[in-house]
Amino acid sequence: MTRGFLSDVLAKWKRFRWQGLVKVWAVFMAIALVLLVESLGVHYGATRFDITYLDRAKAIPAANAIAGQKATNLLVVDSSQEGVSDAEAMLDQILLDMKVPTTTVDVADENAEFPALNHYSTIVVAMPNLDRLGEHVLQIMQWVKKGGGVMFAMTPEKTGYLDVIGPQIGIESSTYEYVATEGITPSEDFMLGGGRHTRSVTRSNRR
């Protein structure tokens, strides 16, 4: 009797027109069952911990942290040039935050003595017109060749001294006039969208 019942059910199943949907439903139910069993067997727990903040009384200000240390950086400025004072104030704060002991020399001060470069590992030049450095520009370049590091914090102006050191700092060519370009094409490995030409559009406010 059981065999007859199974044969009857099998015959009805073969005549059932929605067999494909039932099979898909069965697969989804099996997946749901597996996920349910898995979730029931996984338990989550959070580790409790406390964050201990440094006592304000024990915190050492940056100025105190570098006080008494030998200066490793030389900041060269010319306060007579426009914008240099603002740049100097910004650089002073940045170097303080980075805890970099720094000596500042102002070439606008005739009484200021330019220090020996071998006492420092880095130099930051903050002035657009490098002619005020005079022969010190060549000294800095010779010092860089021996392993020193120099950074120009302000865009150098086109001057005779810049022409002399230009090839040494990566300037292949320069001119006294501004040149308008139609666009730029960054190299493919430089940034997202590299290799594509970007046109620049100049708008006029004249009416």
Side-chain angles (χ1 to χ4, degrees):
M1 184 173 182
T2 303
R3 183 176 299 178
F5 174 76
L6 293 176
S7 300
D8 187 41
V9 171
L10 182 60
K12 291 182 178 180
W13 169 252
K14 292 181 179 180
R15 293 194 302 268
F16 186 60
R17 58 184 301 184
W18 306 110
Q19 293 184 25
L21 292 177
V22 174
K23 293 179 181 179
V24 173
W25 175 81
V27 171
F28 277 106
M29 290 300 296
I31 295 174
L33 181 61
V34 171
L35 294 176
L36 177 62
V37 172
E38 183 180 5
S39 63
L40 292 176
V42 177
H43 300 280
Y44 296 92
T47 302
R48 191 174 180 181
F49 60 92
D50 296 325
I51 299 177
T52 304
Y53 293 95
L54 181 65
D55 189 354
R56 287 181 177 272
K58 298 180 180 179
I60 302 176
N64 296 344
I66 62 176
Q69 294 187 19
K70 181 181 178 181
T72 58
N73 178 70
L74 177 64
L75 176 60
V76 184
V77 300
D78 180 7
S79 58
S80 65
Q81 298 186 38
E82 183 179 359
V84 172
S85 296
D86 294 336
E88 180 184 0
M90 180 184 65
L91 289 169
D92 285 341
Q93 186 61 50
I94 293 174
L95 293 170
L96 178 61
D97 293 340
M98 296 175 63
K99 296 182 175 63
V100 179
T102 301
T103 297
T104 302
V105 58
D106 187 355
V107 295
D109 185 359
E110 297 180 356
N111 297 323
E113 183 178 353
F114 204 84
L117 302 183
N118 56 3
H119 293 164
Y120 306 95
S121 57
T122 56
I123 296 178
V124 178
V125 179
M127 63 180 73
N129 192 322
L130 301 180
D131 288 357
R132 291 300 300 268
L133 284 173
E135 62 181 11
H136 297 307
V137 173
L138 301 179
Q139 294 177 6
I140 292 175
M141 291 299 101
Q142 291 296 326
W143 172 79
V144 170
K145 287 183 179 180
K146 296 178 181 179
V150 63
M151 182 186 75
F152 295 91
M154 303 181 71
T155 304
E157 295 178 355
K158 170 71 173 176
T159 62
Y161 277 92
L162 181 63
D163 289 340
V164 173
I165 68 172
Q168 302 179 52
I169 60 176
I171 300 177
E172 296 181 356
S173 63
S174 59
T175 178
Y176 287 94
E177 299 178 355
Y178 291 104
V179 178
T181 61
E182 296 182 355
I184 59 174
T185 305
S187 60
E188 294 183 359
D189 58 348
F190 176 69
M191 59 184 293
L192 184 64
R196 300 179 182 178
H197 184 73
T198 303
R199 295 183 60 86
S200 58
V201 179
T202 304
R203 296 181 179 179
S204 176
N205 294 327
R206 293 182 297 177
R207 296 181 179 178

